[in-house]
Structures are given as structure tokens and as C-alpha cells.
Amino acid sequence: MAKDGTMRGGARPGSGPKRKALTDKIANGTADSATVLQVSAELEGNDMPPVKDFMKAAQKGGEDFCAEEVYVDTWNWLKSCGCAHLVNPQLIQQYAMSVARWISVELFISETGYLARHPTTGNAIASPYVSMSRDYMKQVNQCWYQIYQIVRENCSAAYGASPQDDLMERLLTARKGKA
């Protein structure tokens, strides 16, 4: 109960005991409660859902929008881990769009700088694009943690380099193309 007498609050999401990755459970021999699926030689791969048109739309500024590339890379990584069927394609789309928007905002900050003029006084103020970048990065991380948690809990083999590791490389490559 809160100080004002209302029944609000409670346990926060993710505040419970930390869960171990399935690969760690298997390595420690504590995977008794985990269901490890046997892999047969006759498995068929999932087809990647088609990339939606809004992820390929031309941008007003003319720069390349990399949402399609991020979506395909993430889907291929999930497929290689054997978890593509467990992750909702909308979550992958949301992640890809957030990454592409974050890169676009970062490129705009590189062009305009960190400062802006106040509309009425003309004084220097912090650029609103900096907070937009921070918000998009927070959204990117939240989506990625959801995707990664699904892989971590369900992948019985080592799941190599992830598409998240390549974010800064994408940003730097995009900047090189603009210069």
C-alpha cells in the first residue's frame, strides 16, 4: 500500500530472480526442467515474412533507410539460432524501424550539431534531436532485450554474434556515405 492509502505499485517487471540461459543450464547439467527439443535431419526452415513497404519507403531527406537491412539481418540471425518461429515478426519490425530512425537522427545531428536556436529569444539551446536520439536508442534497447531474452531462454546452442553488435558499424558506414 502506498503512503496515500491507495493499492498501487507492486512487483516491477523483471524484478524476480534472474533466469539462466538454456545453454548455461545444459552445460551445468541443471536443464532437468527445460525441454530440449531433438533436432531431426528433416527440418524445414521458416520463410522470412515479407518486408513491409513502410520499411522500404523513401525518406524525405534522401538518405538510405536501413530498416529493411536490419530486419533481414535480425531474421537471419534468429533463424540461425533456431528461434525465428518464437519471435513475433512485429517485434522484429519495431526493432528494425527503431534502429533505422535512430541512425537517421544521428546523421541529422552530425549535420546540424548539438545546439539549436530558441525560437523566440534566439539563445542557444540543446538540440531537440539529441533527446530524440536518446529516446530511439532506448526503444532500440528495449526491443532488443525482448528479442535477446527469447533467444537466451530457448536456444540450446551457442548463438554467435548478434545484429545488435553491428549497430555502431551501420552508423559509421552511413556517415561515410554522406561525407
Side-chain angles (χ1 to χ4, degrees):
M1 183 179 298
K3 289 182 181 179
D4 61 359
T6 58
M7 297 294 283
R8 57 188 163 88
R12 295 181 182 183
S15 64
K18 301 297 178 204
R19 290 180 262 183
K20 290 189 174 186
L22 181 58
T23 54
D24 294 341
K25 289 180 183 178
I26 293 171
N28 294 340
T30 58
D32 299 335
S33 63
T35 304
V36 179
L37 301 175
Q38 298 298 323
V39 179
S40 71
E42 299 175 16
L43 286 179
E44 293 182 21
N46 294 352
D47 288 335
M48 183 179 77
V51 179
K52 302 289 185 182
D53 290 335
F54 69 89
M55 298 178 79
K56 301 185 247 181
Q59 299 300 296
K60 187 175 181 180
E63 74 262 0
D64 291 335
F65 196 56
C66 63
E68 180 181 11
E69 182 183 346
V70 173
Y71 180 80
V72 170
D73 288 349
T74 306
W75 177 267
N76 289 336
W77 178 73
L78 287 169
K79 190 173 179 181
S80 71
C81 294
C83 297
H85 64 286
L86 299 171
V87 180
N88 188 345
Q90 290 176 342
L91 180 60
I92 303 170
Q93 290 172 358
Q94 185 179 4
Y95 170 72
M97 288 297 291
S98 298
V99 168
R101 297 278 183 224
W102 173 72
I103 289 173
S104 295
V105 170
E106 283 294 326
L107 290 173
F108 192 75
I109 290 171
S110 295
E111 290 176 16
T112 60
Y114 293 102
L115 296 177
R117 288 190 184 272
H118 191 275
T120 55
T121 63
N123 292 337
I125 60 170
S127 173
Y129 296 105
V130 174
S131 64
M132 285 173 59
S133 173
R134 193 171 40 244
D135 292 342
Y136 277 122
M137 186 48 116
K138 183 177 179 183
Q139 188 175 4
V140 164
N141 286 333
Q142 287 175 343
C143 291
W144 179 252
Y145 292 147
Q146 290 176 17
I147 293 170
Y148 191 74
Q149 188 67 27
I150 292 169
V151 172
R152 189 171 171 258
E153 290 178 3
N154 295 293
C155 188
S156 59
Y159 38 87
S162 70
Q164 179 77 3
D165 298 339
D166 197 32
L167 272 183
M168 190 55 71
E169 184 65 33
R170 286 183 198 280
L171 180 62
L172 294 173
T173 304
R175 283 188 179 167
K176 264 186 206 174
K178 293 290 273 190

